[in-house]
Amino acid sequence: MNVINEENKSSSKTTDVYILITLQNPKINAATEPPTQLRRRRRHQLFPTTTLPTLLPPMAKRALTIFPSPLISLLKVLNPNQLRPLSAAGDGVFKGPTNPNSKERDEQIRKLRILIQESRFETALKLIKTLIESKTVFLSAIDVFDQLSASNPALKREFASVVVSAFADPRWVMEDVGFIRVLWDHRVFFDVGRLNSVLECLVRVGKFGDGMRLFDEAVGFGVDVDVFSYGKAVQCCVKMNDLRKGVEILRCMERRRRIGVSVFAYNVLINGFCKEKRMSEARSLFDEMVDRKLVPSQVTYNTLIDGYCKVGDLEKAFAMRERMKSENVAPSALTFNSLLHGLCKARRMDEMDSVLEEMKSHRFAPDAFTYSTLLDGHARCGNVEAMLSLFEEVMGKGNQAREYACAALLNGLCKEGMMEKADMVLEKLLGNGMVAPNEFLYNTILKGYCLANNVEKALTIFERMDSSGLQPTRITFNTMIKKFCEMGDMDEAEEWMNKMGDKGVKPSVDTYNTMIDGYGRQKMFERCFQILEEIKNRNLKPDVISYGSLINCLCQDGRLLEAEVLLRDMMAGDIQPNVRIYNMLIVGYCNSGKVEKAFKFLDEMPSHEIMPSVVTYNALIKGLCGKGRLHEAEDLATEITNKGLNRDVITYNSLIQGYVGIGNVSKALELYETMKSAGIKPSLQTYHPLISACAKGGLTTVEKIYKEMRGFNIAPDRLIYNALIHAYAEHEFDKAIAFRDEMIDQRIDLDKMTYNSLIWGHLKVGKVQEVLELVNDMKARGLTIKADTYTLLIEGYCKLKDFGGAYAWFVEMADNGFLLTASICRELINGLKEEGLLREVELIYSRMSAASSVLAPKIYYAVQLPYQCIRMWKTAWYPCSYALALHIQKASYYSEPLEYQRVKAGGCREIHVADTLEVRISRHAQRVCWLKWSGFFDMNISVDKWSQVSQLTIGQ
């Protein structure tokens, strides 16, 4: 239950506080009754807070509700002796408190009634405002209206109109809104022009949500709203970034033929779409205007020209200027300034002279914005001479233009990183006395050095500023503190906070926000929370940026629960979160794989009058794609359009990446084509998955996509080059080498992926020497050769039948602590056995089994000595110099035990193996797995006898 005068606690020290309570008929079902009917059945009464304990039980039986806060805010603190009940006449109009100065009150009411009856409304409005401000005779708008209505009930509507107009003022507009709702609840209506003045006032003070609600209520009550009312409703929607609803209201205007549509409504919507850079929709509305025989105004053309310039579409901007001429619509200074800004942004400085000439021909002199734009354009092009020449021209325009041009010149030089030139220009200007030293100029240079990461020079500028007798400002200190926070030097940032206090400069909320962001980046969250408390202790109020910086850092660190708790604390402190705060949380939960939790925040946003943005939907789409839920992601992409928003390049990139991830390359290519047909320029991130995926299916599609990419003036990066080199290394190795050379020319460092592709390509064509050079180059560049590169080398050498070379790479690989995969290891062992390199085979198995008990069983069969490995001993008899020990061992993955007996033959000069070898094998065993020998086979064994042994070792 809310206190009615919560905003004026300081004035209620000696008065009892009253609360407005709505008594509702218990027979009415609030859940099903239409809002308009429900409002009509309510009655309102004031009760002092002291009586609430006794009143609450019976009220609970009668469905007690609290009246909406807008009306609560209009009621003032009342004295007990001022309370009086509803009118005995039962007219349903709320009756305000009585006043002991009844004679004076009656006299003022008489004057007001006469003024209104004589249509002297301006004088009546002034008198009402004076009476309300004095708080001696009337306490509220309702009080004035009650007295006027009682004096002449027949003029109730006229009285309502005057009182509404009197309070259509930024100071009392919310009180006026509450008063209007009371009137409508009791079926008292007034002139729509008075409603429009209130809507206009709400827009002026930025109460767009209240303006929209008031318009909706007016329509619900059947108020005869006009074209102006609709225009203001559209304006409220655009200001709240709800363009979809703005268009809906425009369509309602179309359906009400008596009202029709207005140029103002179209202009507001076109401006909204231009600010969102949705130029195709803005142009569609313009064409629709023309089709409806509405004449676009200067504002319409300027809005579109500025929009096209900001998105870089200068051809359409100049086409709109030509159409402006053909329709005889006079340009303004804004028209030419927008075109000049677009040209400067595009660095098309050679076309600016013609625009300037046309501007002067229409008698528009270049203003401060024009000169700032020109100086910025020359700075973008690095044309210092042109900047200085233009600056000298401005010097003769007067002191104000001189100072502004000086600041613009220095700012342009600083933004382009030409700090030495900026410092030199400042010294020259100050030395010649052309401009007086001031804090703004020094702050500009200091900020420039900070942007250039030259802190020492920035400190020098600070000292020069101090020695010139200029007091460092809050901006000076904030710039230095921000720089140290960006560097992660929080001790130095704290030191500058202390210096700030020593100079008598009080930190602002922005200062504290910078510190919160700095500590947050360092993950020193306890200090962040301490700074939040410090802000409150200094009688400052944290803003949405204070909480946003900390929430963002918490989300990036994966501390999502703490970020959510901070959001609730923020809202409890009456700080309204914005769409960016919710986007941070949604992105955080999506990145952590908790997509369902992210959707809960999406559902919560409308309850706080926050409209999801494209960024919101993109984060959720990316999260769904990461989970492989592509159908849901596409549904969400459709919702973007349904909400009046536009898909952007990030939307399509997420979907393309998602479909490539599940192997559906054809769908990814379909989305790519849809994206282009929608006029959305692809980005590098569009081509990363496409080129990599298409390379697996052949080079035709890869070549087509790469050509289109260059057609969009998108320069390839390392990832693109690597994908291309990998693709061509498989098919056209010469082109792969060409891309490698191009990569070097563009000063893009080759990485491990580049070398791996080139190594594989060279091995495929048998260029072993070039492979060795590549490996040496990798080592020279400080790139660590890891398991994937070694595996490529060993596999490539095996395919070239150079098993000795492959074995050498295996030894280097094992020495560096890397393991070869089982499949490549088996291929290497088989090759070595074919070449008779049995000791190398044993060494490979020994090192693999010592390194991994998991991999060893996987190569047992490859280590077996089959017939072809035994043929080397099939010649003649040799004397036995070593004892032969045959160990029949069981592989670890056989389930049945395998009995074996170690049989040693020793002490004799000749051995007949079949006679001395005794082997017992369990009937459950499938085969003898492998033989291990101690010593060397230095004997002559007949073929027949070896056959008997081999039957045991590799037989069934």
Side-chain angles (χ1 to χ4, degrees):
M1 189 168 294
N2 296 323
V3 177
I4 55 172
N5 198 30
E6 203 168 38
E7 298 173 344
N8 300 314
K9 290 180 181 177
S10 59
S11 63
S12 61
K13 292 179 181 177
T14 59
T15 11
D16 286 343
V17 180
Y18 282 75
I19 292 179
L20 183 72
I21 294 176
T22 303
L23 299 179
Q24 190 171 301
N25 191 325
K27 296 181 180 179
I28 298 174
N29 186 348
T32 58
E33 189 80 10
T36 52
Q37 297 297 326
L38 191 61
R39 279 194 291 266
R40 291 172 190 170
R41 301 187 187 217
R42 289 178 178 169
R43 301 174 64 230
H44 311 93
Q45 182 80 45
L46 279 177
F47 293 97
T49 53
T50 53
T51 64
L52 283 179
T54 58
L55 289 173
L56 280 176
M59 285 181 176
K61 297 176 183 178
R62 299 182 62 194
L64 171 65
T65 60
I66 305 300
F67 199 79
S69 57
L71 182 55
I72 293 173
S73 65
L74 76 88
L75 296 169
K76 302 301 175 183
V77 176
L78 305 175
N79 241 312
N81 61 358
Q82 294 177 313
L83 184 66
R84 71 187 171 91
L86 293 173
S87 126
D91 54 10
V93 179
F94 173 79
K95 296 299 180 181
T98 59
N99 195 297
N101 302 319
S102 57
K103 288 185 178 180
E104 182 182 355
R105 185 179 192 133
D106 292 343
E107 178 60 23
Q108 297 298 340
I109 289 296
R110 187 186 67 80
K111 290 180 181 178
L112 281 172
R113 187 178 66 251
I114 292 171
L115 290 171
I116 293 169
Q117 287 175 332
E118 293 178 358
S119 301
R120 295 160 61 184
F121 298 115
E122 290 298 324
T123 308
L125 292 176
K126 291 179 182 178
L127 179 58
I128 290 173
K129 290 181 180 180
T130 302
L131 294 172
I132 295 298
E133 284 178 341
S134 67
K135 298 293 182 185
T136 56
V137 181
F138 300 100
L139 299 173
S140 67
I142 296 176
D143 200 8
V144 175
F145 177 69
D146 281 348
Q147 296 299 317
L148 283 170
S149 299
S151 67
N152 192 341
L155 296 176
K156 186 182 296 184
R157 177 169 176 169
E158 287 76 7
F159 294 153
S161 297
V162 173
V163 176
V164 168
S165 297
F167 287 90
D169 183 279
R171 294 172 294 172
W172 300 316
V173 65
M174 291 310 299
E175 183 172 334
D176 207 8
V177 170
F179 175 56
I180 289 171
R181 285 176 174 141
V182 171
L183 294 175
W184 286 347
D185 272 343
H186 296 91
R187 312 304 296 166
V188 177
F189 298 103
F190 46 85
D191 187 281
V192 71
R194 312 300 181 182
L195 172 66
N196 290 341
S197 62
V198 177
L199 290 171
E200 172 73 22
C201 190
L202 287 169
V203 171
R204 199 183 316 138
V205 299
K207 300 283 187 181
F208 308 117
D210 292 294
M212 194 63 243
R213 282 189 292 273
L214 186 63
F215 174 81
D216 286 339
E217 289 176 16
V219 174
F221 275 110
V223 177
D224 194 16
V225 292
D226 60 9
V227 66
F228 185 91
S229 314
Y230 273 102
K232 287 300 164 185
V234 171
Q235 192 174 10
C236 287
C237 292
V238 172
K239 292 291 185 181
M240 292 189 298
N241 295 321
D242 192 352
L243 296 176
R244 181 185 60 82
K245 188 168 184 179
V247 173
E248 287 178 1
I249 293 173
L250 183 71
R251 301 302 171 223
C252 289
M253 295 175 74
E254 295 170 2
R255 289 192 292 270
R256 297 188 65 176
R257 295 183 180 179
R258 186 183 59 80
I259 294 177
V261 290
S262 66
V263 173
F264 175 81
Y266 273 106
N267 284 348
V268 169
L269 279 170
I270 289 171
N271 183 53
F273 283 113
C274 287
K275 284 185 176 179
E276 292 287 323
K277 298 182 179 180
R278 296 161 62 177
M279 296 307 300
S280 59
E281 288 158 283
R283 181 56 192 261
S284 295
L285 285 172
F286 175 82
D287 295 337
E288 187 180 302
M289 275 182 75
V290 176
D291 292 341
R292 292 183 177 279
K293 308 301 181 184
L294 293 172
V295 180
S297 65
Q298 183 189 86
V299 173
T300 317
Y301 284 106
N302 283 349
T303 302
L304 285 165
I305 289 171
D306 186 60
Y308 281 125
C309 287
K310 284 180 177 175
V311 299
D313 196 342
L314 292 176
E315 285 67 27
K316 288 184 179 178
F318 277 98
M320 193 59 65
R321 170 69 187 115
E322 291 302 315
R323 180 163 183 166
M324 203 173 177
K325 291 179 185 177
S326 64
E327 297 292 337
N328 294 320
V329 178
S332 67
L334 177 61
T335 313
F336 298 107
N337 281 339
S338 295
L339 291 169
L340 289 171
H341 184 263
L343 290 170
C344 287
K345 190 176 176 182
R347 303 187 181 188
R348 291 163 57 173
M349 304 302 293
D350 53 336
E351 301 175 47
M352 294 181 63
D353 289 339
S354 60
V355 177
L356 283 169
E357 288 300 321
E358 186 181 359
M359 183 178 184
K360 292 173 183 177
S361 69
H362 284 83
R363 298 182 180 180
F364 292 115
D367 55 15
F369 181 82
T370 311
Y371 285 118
S372 175
T373 300
L374 296 173
L375 288 167
D376 181 65
H378 289 308
R380 286 175 184 268
C381 297
N383 193 342
V384 180
E385 291 73 17
M387 290 179 69
L388 296 175
S389 175
L390 180 62
F391 179 72
E392 289 175 4
E393 177 187 334
V394 180
M395 287 297 98
K397 301 292 182 180
N399 290 333
Q400 185 176 1
R402 186 182 300 169
E403 290 182 5
Y404 193 91
C406 180
L409 172 64
L410 293 176
N411 189 51
L413 291 170
C414 290
K415 282 200 306 187
E416 295 303 313
M418 295 184 279
M419 294 310 305
E420 292 183 3
K421 193 70 179 178
D423 206 351
M424 184 188 72
V425 169
L426 179 61
E427 286 297 313
K428 182 179 179 181
L429 292 172
L430 294 175
N432 294 340
M434 298 182 74
V435 292
N438 59 68
E439 294 86 351
F440 181 77
L441 297 179
Y442 278 106
N443 284 341
T444 302
I445 297 289
L446 185 140
K447 183 179 179 181
Y449 276 120
C450 286
L451 289 173
N453 296 317
N454 194 337
V455 180
E456 291 183 5
K457 273 290 194 179
L459 292 172
T460 303
I461 296 295
F462 181 84
E463 292 169 1
R464 279 167 53 186
M465 185 178 183
D466 199 22
S467 62
S468 299
L470 296 172
Q471 176 70 20
T473 65
R474 185 180 290 130
I475 294 174
T476 316
F477 286 105
N478 284 355
T479 302
M480 294 304 302
I481 290 169
K482 182 179 180 180
K483 185 59 190 174
F484 286 115
C485 287
E486 288 174 354
M487 295 167 59
D489 191 349
M490 298 310 299
D491 292 336
E492 195 66 30
E494 289 282 4
E495 184 64 30
W496 277 84
M497 286 283 287
N498 296 332
K499 286 183 183 180
M500 195 174 187
D502 295 340
K503 290 287 185 179
V505 181
K506 293 182 178 180
S508 64
V509 174
D510 290 336
T511 315
Y512 287 112
N513 290 349
T514 302
M515 294 293 289
I516 289 172
D517 186 62
Y519 278 113
R521 291 174 186 271
Q522 299 300 311
K523 301 181 181 180
M524 301 170 67
F525 298 113
E526 289 300 323
R527 180 63 183 136
C528 293
F529 286 108
Q530 289 173 6
I531 294 174
L532 272 178
E533 290 303 316
E534 189 175 337
I535 295 174
K536 298 172 185 176
N537 294 336
R538 289 182 177 269
N539 293 323
L540 297 171
K541 185 176 181 180
D543 58 14
V544 69
I545 298 174
S546 312
Y547 285 94
S549 298
L550 184 48
I551 288 173
N552 186 44
C553 293
L554 287 168
C555 289
Q556 289 181 351
D557 195 43
R559 302 171 69 164
L560 299 170
L561 180 59
E562 291 169 84
E564 186 176 351
V565 170
L566 194 61
L567 171 68
R568 305 308 171 198
D569 180 62
M570 171 186 180
M571 296 165 73
D574 199 27
I575 299 171
Q576 179 71 6
N578 56 24
V579 67
R580 290 184 179 180
I581 300 288
Y582 277 98
N583 287 348
M584 293 170 192
L585 287 157
I586 288 171
V587 169
Y589 276 108
C590 286
N591 289 342
S592 66
K594 300 176 181 177
V595 181
E596 301 306 326
K597 181 68 174 178
F599 271 99
K600 288 183 180 178
F601 284 104
L602 176 69
D603 297 336
E604 180 183 314
M605 291 172 75
S607 63
H608 298 289
E609 297 182 359
I610 299 172
M611 298 300 298
S613 66
V614 177
V615 177
T616 316
Y617 287 109
N618 284 346
L620 291 164
I621 288 169
K622 185 179 179 181
L624 290 170
C625 290
K627 292 284 188 180
R629 296 159 61 177
L630 274 302
H631 291 298
E632 294 173 72
E634 288 232 50
D635 290 341
L636 204 59
T638 304
E639 190 175 331
I640 292 177
T641 309
N642 295 339
K643 292 288 185 180
L645 302 171
N646 266 357
R647 303 182 190 187
D648 61 9
V649 64
I650 298 174
T651 316
Y652 283 100
N653 286 352
S654 297
L655 291 169
I656 289 170
Q657 179 71 59
Y659 278 109
V660 167
I662 63 172
N664 193 343
V665 181
S666 60
K667 180 63 177 179
L669 289 170
E670 180 186 327
L671 284 165
Y672 171 66
E673 295 299 329
T674 304
M675 176 185 183
K676 291 187 297 179
S677 63
I680 298 172
K681 180 182 176 181
S683 67
L684 261 176
Q685 286 68 34
T686 313
Y687 293 102
H688 286 159
L690 283 176
I691 291 177
S692 298
C694 292
K696 299 174 184 177
L699 297 178
T700 306
T701 308
V702 172
E703 289 176 348
K704 174 180 175 292
I705 292 175
Y706 180 68
K707 185 177 179 180
E708 289 179 358
M709 172 183 156
R710 299 312 298 260
F712 282 112
N713 294 321
I714 298 174
D717 62 355
R718 184 185 291 111
L719 290 175
I720 295 293
Y721 276 120
N722 282 345
L724 291 168
I725 290 170
H726 181 75
Y728 283 101
E730 290 282 339
H731 307 286
E732 298 180 33
F733 190 63
D734 290 340
K735 282 193 176 181
I737 296 297
F739 279 120
R740 187 273 311 270
D741 296 339
E742 184 180 323
M743 197 174 176
I744 294 171
D745 293 340
Q746 297 296 324
R747 296 183 179 180
I748 299 174
D749 292 332
L750 279 64
D751 64 0
K752 187 182 69 172
M753 288 186 63
T754 321
Y755 280 104
N756 284 352
S757 298
L758 292 169
I759 287 170
W760 183 246
H762 280 106
L763 286 171
K764 285 196 71 175
V765 295
K767 295 182 177 181
V768 178
Q769 185 59 40
E770 285 80 355
V771 169
L772 294 174
E773 291 174 1
L774 283 169
V775 173
N776 291 332
D777 192 37
M778 279 184 77
K779 294 176 180 178
R781 289 176 179 268
L783 294 173
T784 304
I785 302 179
K786 295 187 177 180
D788 53 349
T789 308
Y790 282 118
T791 302
L792 281 174
L793 288 164
I794 295 169
E795 185 180 5
Y797 272 76
C798 286
K799 290 186 183 303
L800 293 174
K801 302 299 180 182
D802 185 358
F803 297 106
Y807 175 75
W809 286 119
F810 170 81
V811 173
E812 183 178 327
M813 180 181 187
D815 289 343
N816 287 320
F818 300 111
L819 288 176
L820 189 61
T821 61
S823 59
I824 306 298
C825 187
R826 285 194 294 268
E827 185 177 354
L828 174 58
I829 288 172
N830 288 332
L832 291 171
K833 289 192 308 186
E834 287 177 3
E835 295 187 356
L837 300 173
L838 299 181
R839 181 179 290 179
E840 285 80 358
V841 171
E842 183 182 13
L843 180 60
I844 290 174
Y845 178 74
S846 175
R847 300 195 70 163
M848 291 289 285
S849 59
S852 172
S853 60
V854 176
L855 284 174
K858 297 181 180 179
I859 61 171
Y860 279 155
Y861 290 127
V863 182
Q864 287 180 336
L865 298 176
Y867 294 113
Q868 60 265 33
C869 295
I870 300 172
R871 288 172 187 163
M872 58 186 295
W873 292 292
K874 287 184 179 179
T875 55
W877 287 89
Y878 285 89
C880 178
S881 58
Y882 292 94
L884 175 63
L886 293 175
H887 303 274
I888 304 173
Q889 298 183 351
K890 167 188 175 295
S892 60
Y893 48 79
Y894 277 105
S895 58
E896 295 293 337
L898 179 66
E899 301 178 10
Y900 66 90
Q901 180 179 11
R902 176 179 296 180
V903 179
K904 291 185 179 180
C908 58
R909 298 191 60 83
E910 294 182 359
I911 298 177
H912 196 252
V913 176
D915 293 339
T916 59
L917 181 63
E918 181 182 350
V919 179
R920 293 177 308 166
I921 303 176
S922 168
R923 59 189 178 87
H924 299 291
Q926 296 299 313
R927 68 179 65 197
V928 178
C929 301
W930 54 285
L931 289 174
K932 182 177 180 182
W933 60 98
S934 55
F936 297 93
F937 292 107
D938 191 5
M939 65 193 75
N940 215 350
I941 304 176
S942 68
V943 175
D944 294 338
K945 300 305 179 185
W946 268 117
S947 297
Q948 295 177 36
V949 175
S950 61
Q951 286 173 7
L952 290 173
T953 58
I954 63 171
Q956 297 300 317

